[in-house]
């Protein structure tokens, strides 16, 4: 994710540099409109729409601002047409499958299910590209985001889109269990379950339901989560101690109150708490 964000930032910087250079070269409104049109015809919608947007917002109003607004409206309509074209590829009737087929699909998929998964992945990749291209077209940007949210929430799409993360979590949970760390697996399965209706999320839900019938496992999971939270509190107190010792002492006290008495974090927090003298009021 961090790599993708870095690449996106570099791409925005490159567009900004290109735009500034073009803006200096094209001094008149006519020149700028011509540059925008050449950029558009060359497939550089980001540069074209940025120029149109700058002209549309410029004052005082003149022929160029009206032309730019008109072109932005046309680009908005163009984006809607492309949205409809992508949406058409997500029609279950054309795929000749039903939502129940998808909900019942497991790791071993027949050809129709596999093809549907490929269609969904392709469609959402196209949505991302469309959102990037029309990001600076005011009406288009918000409409694309709203449309994609709606499509992503469709069970037949969520089944596909949620599966990679759900599968990764399921495999982590399975490894925890293999390592005899059922308490950790419990919480991982809880997270995976929320990615339903992905197939791996359903597997996690089934395994979680079985674990919840085991009181000892649930109790161990609760104790595990509590201990994790105590460690986080302790680390936060450590960071605060040089700057706000009184607040750090309060956090150490919370750890002492919550962590099991025989746990290392309990003893460490007690030692740190006792080493910080309460500050007396002036």
């Amino acid at each position: 994710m961090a790599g993708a964000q870095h690449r996106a930032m570099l791409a925005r910087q490159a567009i900004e540099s290109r735009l500034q250079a073009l803006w200096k070269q094209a001094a008149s409104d006519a020149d700028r409109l011509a540059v925008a049109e050449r950029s558009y015809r060359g497939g550089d919608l980001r540069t074209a729409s940025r120029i149109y947007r700058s002209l549309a917002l410029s004052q005082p109003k003149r022929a160029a601002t009206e032309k730019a607004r008109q072109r932005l409206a046309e680009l908005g309509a163009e984006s809607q047409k492309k949205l409809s074209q992508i949406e058409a590829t997500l029609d279950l009737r054309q795929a000749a499958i039903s939502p129940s087929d998808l909900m019942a699909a497991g790791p071993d998929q027949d050809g129709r299910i596999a093809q549907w998964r490929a269609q969904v992945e392709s469609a959402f990749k196209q949505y991302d590209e469309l959102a990037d291209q029309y990001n600076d077209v005011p009406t288009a940007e918000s409409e694309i985001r709203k449309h994609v949210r709606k499509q992503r929430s469709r069970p037949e799409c969520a089944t596909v889109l949620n599966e990679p993360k759900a599968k990764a979590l399921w495999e982590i949970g399975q490894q925890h269990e293999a390592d005899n760390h059922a308490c950790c697996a419990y919480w991982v399965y809880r997270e995976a379950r929320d990615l339903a209706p992905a197939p791996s999320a359903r597997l996690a839900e089934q395994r979680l339901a079985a674990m919840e019938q085991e009181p000892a496992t649930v109790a161990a999971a609760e104790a595990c989560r509590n201990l994790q939270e105590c460690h986080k509190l302790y680390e936060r107190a450590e960071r605060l101690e040089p700057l706000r010792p009184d607040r750090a002492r309060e956090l150490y006290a919370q750890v002492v109150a919550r962590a099991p008495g025989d746990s290392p974090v309990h003893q460490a927090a007690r030692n740190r708490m006792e080493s910080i003298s309460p500050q007396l009021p002036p």
Side-chain angles (χ1 to χ4, degrees):
M1 182 63 72
Q5 291 175 343
H6 181 65
R7 289 192 295 272
M9 180 187 72
L10 292 177
R12 288 193 297 271
Q13 290 175 345
I15 291 171
E16 191 64 35
S17 297
R18 172 174 165 76
L19 185 64
Q20 290 179 2
L22 289 172
W23 201 256
K24 290 178 180 178
Q25 294 170 11
S28 69
D29 285 347
D31 288 341
R32 289 170 178 172
L33 285 171
V35 168
E37 284 301 312
R38 286 198 300 272
S39 298
Y40 172 78
R41 289 195 296 272
D44 187 357
L45 271 68
R46 292 295 301 272
T47 297
S49 59
R50 286 288 298 277
I51 294 174
Y52 288 135
R53 190 168 185 171
S54 295
L55 286 171
L57 295 173
S58 62
Q59 295 291 338
K61 292 182 180 180
R62 51 199 186 278
T65 59
E66 185 55 38
K67 175 63 176 177
R69 290 174 182 174
Q70 179 184 342
R71 289 295 287 128
L72 286 173
E74 291 169 355
L75 289 177
E78 180 180 279
S79 72
Q80 287 294 319
K81 182 178 179 180
K82 291 181 178 180
L83 271 178
S84 298
Q85 291 171 345
I86 299 172
E87 184 177 20
T89 68
L90 296 176
D91 188 338
L92 277 178
R93 291 169 299 180
Q94 291 185 13
I97 53 177
S98 67
S100 59
D101 292 332
L102 290 168
M103 297 307 107
D108 298 325
Q109 308 158 10
D110 64 31
R112 294 173 307 137
I113 302 297
Q115 183 178 3
W116 172 256
R117 293 184 186 281
Q119 284 179 223
V120 172
E121 290 167 357
S122 174
F124 277 82
K125 182 179 179 181
Q126 292 177 63
Y127 280 140
D128 287 342
E129 293 171 352
L130 197 67
D132 182 67
Q133 290 174 339
Y134 290 88
N135 185 64
D136 291 298
V137 179
T139 56
E141 189 266 342
S142 59
E143 282 299 314
I144 292 171
R145 282 193 289 107
K146 183 169 67 175
H147 183 88
V148 172
R149 281 197 303 269
K150 180 180 178 180
Q151 290 289 77
R152 186 175 288 276
S153 68
R154 289 172 56 190
E156 55 268 35
C157 293
T159 298
V160 177
L161 300 172
N162 291 354
E163 176 58 15
K165 184 177 180 180
K167 182 179 180 181
L169 290 169
W170 166 253
E171 291 174 350
I172 291 171
Q174 290 283 281
Q175 187 59 54
H176 279 318
E177 290 203 76
D179 295 337
N180 293 319
H181 297 151
C183 55
C184 296
Y186 178 90
W187 295 109
V188 173
Y189 292 145
R190 283 268 298 249
E191 185 178 354
R193 178 189 62 181
D194 294 339
L195 295 170
S200 294
R202 295 200 301 273
L203 290 175
E205 184 175 23
Q206 293 166 7
R207 181 65 190 118
L208 185 65
M211 295 176 84
E212 287 177 337
Q213 299 303 311
E214 304 166 0
T217 299
V218 175
E222 294 291 349
C224 178
R225 172 59 61 89
N226 179 61
L227 198 58
Q228 289 175 356
E229 292 175 352
C230 286
H231 278 284
K232 290 179 182 178
L233 281 172
Y234 184 90
E235 291 169 0
R236 184 181 172 198
E238 278 191 313
R239 292 193 299 269
L240 282 173
E241 189 172 332
L243 302 173
R244 300 179 58 193
D246 283 354
R247 178 56 180 156
R249 194 174 191 276
E250 291 174 3
L251 294 177
Y252 287 133
Q254 291 180 32
V255 174
V256 169
R258 292 179 56 176
D262 59 351
S263 64
V265 72
H266 174 101
Q267 190 58 52
R270 179 178 292 280
N271 292 340
R272 293 307 310 151
M273 182 181 67
E274 291 174 353
S275 71
I276 302 174
S277 300
Q279 293 185 356
L280 298 176

